[in-house]
Amino acid sequence: MASLLTVRDLAVHYATAAGPVRAVDGASFDVPAGSIVGLVGESGCGKSTLGRALMGVMPRSARIAAGSAVFEGQDLVTLPDKARKELLWRRLSFVPQTAMNALDPVQRVGAQLMEVLTERGGLSRAAAASRAEALFTLVGLDPKRLRDWPHQFSGGMRQRASIALALALDPALMIADEPVTALDVIVQRQVLDVMKELQARLGLAMILVTHDVAVVAYACDRVVVMYAGRVVESGPVRAVLEAPLHPYTMGLMNAFPDLERAGGELVPIEGSPPSLLNPPKGCRFAARCPFAVARCAEDPPLVEDAPDHHAACWRSAEAAALRPQAARAETWAGVVA
Ligand SMILES: Nc1ncnc2c1ncn2[C@@H]1O[C@H](COP(=O)(O)OP(=O)(O)OP(=O)(O)O)[C@@H](O)[C@H]1O
Ligand code: SF4
Ligand SMILES: [Mg+2]
């Protein structure tokens, strides 16, 4: 399938008094048209920074230090502001990490939708009113509730309303940052089902940012695994989750209950990711990896180890032999000194 978004070697740094924080430091992946891509990794690995950089909504201290992100033939990194403004919301939209941030607490939800539709979309008030109703129905909300204030909505309803806002101008790609994290499991499934239906009905592509492998397994076609600012593995969701090539992905699989084998023993990956102020020179996962060898002192490149399945690990050719070991809790115990 044609790539809608092609990200290559993207680096995003935050300027701080202690030096640059390399929050994203060489990320490469593709988003095929019409697919849901899960962007997964531990807290602080750079997921939100990457999503915000693609949207061009970054704090002043952040800058794109290198790389490209070609969306529908235009590089988002070098795109002039005016051209970017044309794209945002119309072709590329964003659901921020806290749904409340997407909604103005002092404006009725319907008025916010109307504003996007009339001011950004140029619709007449009558056309915008019927589009707002259709959008609410699309995300499973009762159009009567367009008159409500955000605080009158439950968390799941706010999440649906912020998805409706992001969909208002019929984008080709929606980046949703942790859209279901704050919700209980039943509501999580409802919101994920809405997203899957939107993909099927509208051909919408999505980047679904999450730290939860179960969410990826349930909703995504593809997965991009980030660790310490880097993409360490990517590919079709079944290939990556059923036959991971990178030890970090193997560890993530043990650390989260998968929806099908809920109740299995959870094994945490000991330790924490390295500082992104001075990331280690070799493999960034080495200090926590039970399979590290001398060669891991060098930085492993992201390579296509199997068709459409990329990993950045010197030992990925041995992955089939490492996986059974990685499934055992004792393999991970005592790795971190
Ligand atoms: N404004 C900022 N200034 C300096 N460093 C920042 C800033 N925002 C984020 N960072 C750092 O950049 C790194 C990546 O942060 P980011 O928010 O992208 O991670 P994340 O993967 O989205 O985490 P989470 O799962 O907790 O949302 C972290 O080390 C974080 O401390
Ligand atoms: S390169 Fe080495 S340290 Fe890094 S994940 Fe692979 S085996 Fe582990
Ligand atoms: Mg985040």
Side-chain angles (χ1 to χ4, degrees):
M1 204 182 275
S3 184
L4 181 67
L5 174 70
T6 305
V7 178
R8 289 293 175 269
D9 303 316
L10 195 71
V12 185
H13 297 174
Y14 292 102
T16 71
V21 172
R22 299 164 198 274
V24 176
D25 203 19
S28 299
F29 63 95
D30 293 293
V31 178
S35 64
I36 304 185
V37 176
L39 185 59
V40 70
E42 275 164 297
S43 182
C45 70
K47 305 180 297 294
S48 295
T49 303
L50 178 55
R52 291 190 163 275
L54 294 174
M55 285 301 288
V57 286
M58 299 191 289
R60 293 178 81 137
S61 63
R63 72 180 178 97
I64 297 182
S68 61
V70 176
F71 172 71
E72 296 187 321
Q74 301 189 87
D75 187 356
L76 298 172
V77 173
T78 52
L79 200 63
D81 283 351
K82 192 162 172 280
R84 178 185 294 280
K85 251 184 143 172
E86 287 296 307
L87 270 185
L88 293 189
W89 307 108
R90 289 187 181 82
R91 303 301 301 157
L92 180 63
S93 70
F94 189 54
V95 180
Q97 185 156 2
T98 314
M100 258 329 242
N101 293 348
L103 301 172
D104 178 352
V106 295
Q107 203 184 9
R108 292 179 199 272
V109 181
Q112 300 185 42
L113 254 180
M114 290 293 287
E115 194 174 296
V116 172
L117 290 164
T118 55
E119 289 179 18
R120 292 206 191 116
L123 268 66
S124 68
R125 285 202 66 79
S130 70
R131 172 90 178 134
E133 290 191 3
L135 282 164
F136 254 43
T137 306
L138 194 65
V139 297
L141 288 171
D142 182 348
K144 287 198 195 85
R145 306 212 52 171
L146 281 162
R147 292 191 54 74
D148 283 7
W149 301 92
H151 74 262
Q152 292 174 293
F153 277 15
S154 69
M157 291 170 72
R158 282 199 287 265
Q159 201 54 265
R160 287 166 194 248
S162 51
I163 292 169
L165 264 180
L167 292 177
L169 304 182
D170 202 11
L173 175 64
M174 178 171 85
I175 303 172
D177 195 350
E178 303 275 6
V180 296
T181 303
L183 310 175
D184 70 55
V185 176
I186 293 170
V187 184
Q188 274 197 1
R189 285 220 181 195
Q190 290 169 350
V191 173
L192 292 173
D193 287 342
V194 166
M195 297 174 99
K196 288 206 277 188
E197 202 181 321
L198 294 170
Q199 172 198 28
R201 278 171 64 180
L202 309 177
L204 176 69
M206 282 175 235
I207 297 178
L208 203 163
V209 176
T210 178
H211 60 273
D212 188 344
V213 174
V215 167
V216 172
Y218 185 69
C220 298
D221 306 303
R222 301 180 65 81
V223 57
V224 173
V225 182
M226 280 187 84
Y227 185 75
R230 290 261 167 91
V231 171
V232 294
E233 182 157 5
S234 69
V237 77
R238 279 189 81 97
V240 174
L241 299 190
E242 287 175 13
L245 296 174
H246 196 286
Y248 179 60
T249 317
M250 297 176 200
L252 274 185
M253 298 301 296
N254 296 336
F256 278 93
D258 128 359
L259 293 186
E260 276 137 41
R261 44 152 212 170
E265 189 195 3
L266 298 187
V267 182
I269 306 174
E270 288 185 3
S272 46
S275 157
L276 297 176
L277 258 177
N278 289 304
K281 290 225 167 0
C283 174
R284 294 183 176 187
F285 189 55
R288 303 168 79 191
C289 181
F291 308 121
V293 291
R295 192 176 187 191
C296 306
E298 289 165 49
D299 203 2
L302 185 70
V303 292
E304 191 171 10
D305 283 308
D308 194 28
H309 189 168
H310 291 72
C313 170
W314 293 122
R315 300 191 66 185
S316 54
E318 303 164 63
L322 301 181
R323 281 194 288 271
Q325 296 179 51
R328 289 199 291 273
E330 60 268 27
T331 302
W332 298 86
V335 172
V336 179

